[in-house]
Amino acid sequence: MAILDKIVALAKRRGFVYPGSELYGGIGGFWDYGPNGVELANNIKRSWWQAMVHDREDVVGLDSAIIMNPKVWEASGHVSSFTDPLTECKVCHQRFRADQPDEIEAHTDKHRHEGQKSVAWTEARQFNLLFRTFVGPVEDNSSLAYLRGETCQGIYVNFLNVLSSMRVRVPFGIAQIGKAFRNEVTPGKYLFRVREFEQMELEFFVHPREATERFTYWKEERLRWHLSLGLQKDHVRFRQHESTERAHYAADSWDIEYDYPEWGWKELEGIANRTDYDLKTHGKWSGKDLSYSDPLTNERYIPFVIEPSVGVSRLFLALLIDAYKEDDKRAFLQLKPSLAPVTAAIFPLVANKPQLVEKARSVYHFLKKHFVVGWDDRGNIGKRYLAQDEIGTPWCVTVDYDTLKDDTVTVRDRDTTKQERVSIDRLKEYIGAKL
Ligand code: GAP
């Protein structure tokens, strides 16, 4: 079985990711995060927020509405040009992105293997990715609105609000984590290209003359963060966009790419120098002055924007892939402990001895005040270990007959499978220190 198939199966079996609306046959490009998936995703987002907002003095946070005045999307250029080239297979009428040669080739090969001699494609036409909806009870052009295609537009339209309500001075950044929606022509590659996803975006406002220096700084900073989550150094790299592939607003764009098995190097995070394009266009369309006046020099200018932007699901998938380990005895997720959905799982050795269960419950309730802990009293201990290994739980704590005598428990390490006897009154410090 290919590694990705194993990960998809594990993610479903262990409550990380389920196909969206599976009960009704699913819906392409939408996935649901199960109990363990939502913990992992929250830990990723928490780590990003910590690094990008709380650990810094020059970034503030924001949570803007998903649905905005449709003029936002006209001004940003999304209504006219947030498009992908769409081509249709003339054999089966399935549609694909014309700019993804590997997918076109794979589909063409599939038909050839089925015995089709010639596989033709329609001329590519542009397809707009914005999801449309209507605000209020009347469904016509006057109530048309869009689900946001990227979170950063909510930051630009709040630039003045943040400037006037917070004690910030350029250079500074506004960070946001939130849902984005794209009606992708070909969602696929599991969580890689989906239609509903979360973005973690920073818009960092700088003086135009400092843009290049800040751009270099953020590139390095973002790579450092990915490595700090445990991604392997040789699985990530930078790639600069060719001028032909750069978005219309960008003067320079680099991707941090991840080497996904089967698909190869693909974009994990994009870092762009968006110049003054966004503030300038929103200024023009709204009729408001979005320039900044430097209180020290009195210079007035429109700041440039440096934007690192990463999708939670792409990173979630990369982390699962990097963490997945197997040997002849077991499969386990070697997640960084602070990212793991469960920090410690508590087991009574057997479930039918009330004294053991009661003692284990007291350990469980005590640790629950400090960490995310799980409970399992089903089956034998070996099977419980295997289940926790697949969730990536770094430590399993077993309460046994000796616990009743000496108040110690067995702590089993996920990575080494080594077991250690630890006294209950040291357990919190023991786990805390390793975490
Ligand atoms: N504001 C800039 C922007 O949205 P982008 O390169 O289109 O730029 C940024 O998207 C990041 O969002 C990507 O690097 C990727 O991690 C994530 N992303 C974009 N489209 C996605 C999709 N269809 N499914 C999952 N993640 C996606």
Side-chain angles (χ1 to χ4, degrees):
M1 205 191 217
I3 184 100
L4 270 168
D5 295 333
K6 288 183 185 175
I7 288 169
V8 173
L10 180 148
K12 174 130 196 262
R13 184 169 72 243
R14 296 297 176 197
F16 282 91
V17 181
Y18 312 126
S21 346
E22 191 183 17
L23 198 61
Y24 289 96
I27 172 166
F30 297 89
W31 296 87
D32 295 338
Y33 288 83
N36 288 318
V38 71
E39 295 295 339
L40 173 55
N42 282 345
N43 290 340
I44 294 171
K45 289 186 276 182
R46 204 173 295 122
S47 166
W48 188 89
W49 197 261
Q50 184 71 40
M52 302 298 269
V53 183
H54 289 171
D55 284 352
R56 304 187 62 92
E57 294 176 15
D58 54 1
V59 176
V60 291
L62 181 81
D63 186 10
S64 66
I66 286 174
I67 294 181
M68 294 189 270
N69 188 311
K71 287 203 184 97
V72 171
W73 302 105
E74 288 169 34
S76 67
H78 283 74
V79 171
S80 58
S81 51
F82 190 44
T83 54
D84 275 337
L86 177 151
T87 176
E88 188 175 307
C89 166
K90 287 189 176 172
V91 177
C92 66
H93 303 290
Q94 215 176 316
R95 290 163 180 188
F96 288 85
R97 267 175 63 172
D99 61 349
Q100 299 290 320
D102 51 338
E103 291 173 20
I104 302 271
E105 209 173 296
H107 188 76
T108 306
D109 283 350
K110 183 182 123 224
H111 281 316
R112 291 226 176 92
H113 283 122
E114 290 161 357
Q116 290 284 342
K117 285 209 179 68
S118 74
V119 182
W121 294 86
T122 60
E123 195 73 29
R125 67 180 170 85
Q126 293 301 321
F127 174 79
N128 194 289
L129 303 188
L130 285 180
F131 275 104
R132 293 153 157 248
T133 186
F134 298 93
V135 176
V138 181
E139 293 194 4
D140 63 16
N141 272 345
S142 68
S143 61
L144 178 65
Y146 304 96
L147 301 191
R148 67 181 172 202
E150 55 178 6
T151 57
C152 59
Q153 296 300 328
I155 295 180
Y156 303 132
V157 301
N158 279 295
F159 176 68
L160 284 186
N161 284 334
V162 173
L163 262 189
S164 62
S165 58
M166 305 297 294
R167 301 185 72 76
V168 287
R169 245 187 229 162
V170 172
F172 78 98
I174 305 178
Q176 173 161 229
I177 300 178
K179 289 260 173 158
F181 302 83
R182 297 184 186 178
N183 196 4
E184 297 282 358
V185 176
T186 44
K189 297 191 163 65
Y190 192 36
L191 304 176
F192 180 80
R193 197 188 300 138
V194 292
R195 289 179 166 138
E196 174 180 340
F197 55 99
E198 280 182 292
Q199 287 187 314
M200 304 188 284
E201 299 203 297
L202 169 72
E203 308 306 306
F204 198 83
F205 302 95
V206 293
H207 191 289
R209 88 175 153 251
E210 285 178 19
T212 306
E213 190 190 319
R214 288 284 174 167
F215 186 78
T216 307
Y217 165 81
W218 278 112
K219 262 177 60 198
E220 300 303 330
E221 195 61 16
R222 296 303 304 144
L223 181 64
R224 200 185 54 73
W225 181 76
H226 285 288
L227 296 177
S228 80
L229 293 189
L231 287 185
Q232 290 172 47
K233 218 172 183 171
D234 54 346
H235 289 175
V236 283
R237 71 172 188 194
F238 281 121
R239 185 182 72 82
Q240 186 174 23
H241 281 203
E242 303 288 338
S243 58
T244 46
E245 63 178 317
R246 272 205 301 263
H248 54 283
Y249 49 71
D252 194 8
S253 259
W254 289 66
D255 288 343
I256 295 177
E257 293 188 326
Y258 179 77
D259 191 8
Y260 292 91
E262 294 172 44
W263 317 321
W265 292 101
K266 296 263 173 224
E267 175 181 350
L268 174 64
E269 165 154 355
I271 301 149
N273 174 355
R274 294 181 71 127
T275 66
D276 54 5
Y277 177 87
D278 304 277
L279 291 181
K280 231 182 200 162
T281 37
H282 284 302
K284 216 184 280 166
W285 278 68
S286 65
K288 304 268 163 46
D289 180 6
L290 298 192
S291 62
Y292 171 76
S293 178
D294 189 310
L296 302 177
T297 63
N298 289 328
E299 187 188 0
R300 184 168 272 284
Y301 59 91
I302 299 193
F304 271 34
V305 170
I306 308 302
E307 177 197 61
S309 168
V310 58
V312 174
S313 70
R314 280 196 192 173
L315 180 53
F316 182 104
L317 177 57
L319 286 166
L320 281 188
I321 293 168
D322 255 29
Y324 184 83
K325 303 279 175 317
E326 60 182 8
D327 56 34
D328 51 344
K329 292 193 198 75
R330 61 178 186 142
F332 65 110
L333 291 184
Q334 199 170 42
L335 289 165
K336 182 177 176 179
S338 59
L339 290 181
V342 176
T343 307
I346 318 301
F347 310 154
L349 184 66
V350 288
N352 58 0
K353 290 276 180 273
Q355 256 187 307
L356 279 184
V357 174
E358 201 182 311
K359 187 75 183 170
R361 292 301 290 175
S362 75
V363 173
Y364 171 79
H365 284 298
F366 169 66
L367 287 184
K368 212 170 169 46
K369 288 193 210 129
H370 307 284
F371 309 108
V372 179
V373 288
W375 171 267
D376 194 357
D377 57 12
R378 295 161 310 163
N380 65 45
I381 292 285
K383 286 211 174 115
R384 292 185 227 167
Y385 283 155
L386 292 185
Q388 295 299 329
D389 282 347
E390 289 199 346
I391 292 166
T393 307
W395 300 287
C396 291
V397 176
T398 303
V399 171
D400 55 22
Y401 294 106
D402 284 342
T403 313
L404 301 179
K405 287 186 235 147
D406 61 8
D407 244 23
T408 63
V409 289
T410 300
V411 181
R412 184 258 199 186
D413 182 280
R414 172 196 68 196
D415 301 342
T416 61
T417 73
K418 292 234 165 65
Q419 302 186 7
E420 213 179 317
R421 213 64 202 170
V422 179
S423 85
I424 292 175
D425 60 9
R426 275 208 322 116
L427 202 49
K428 181 189 149 210
E429 283 67 35
Y430 177 90
I431 293 173
K434 285 178 181 271
L435 200 60

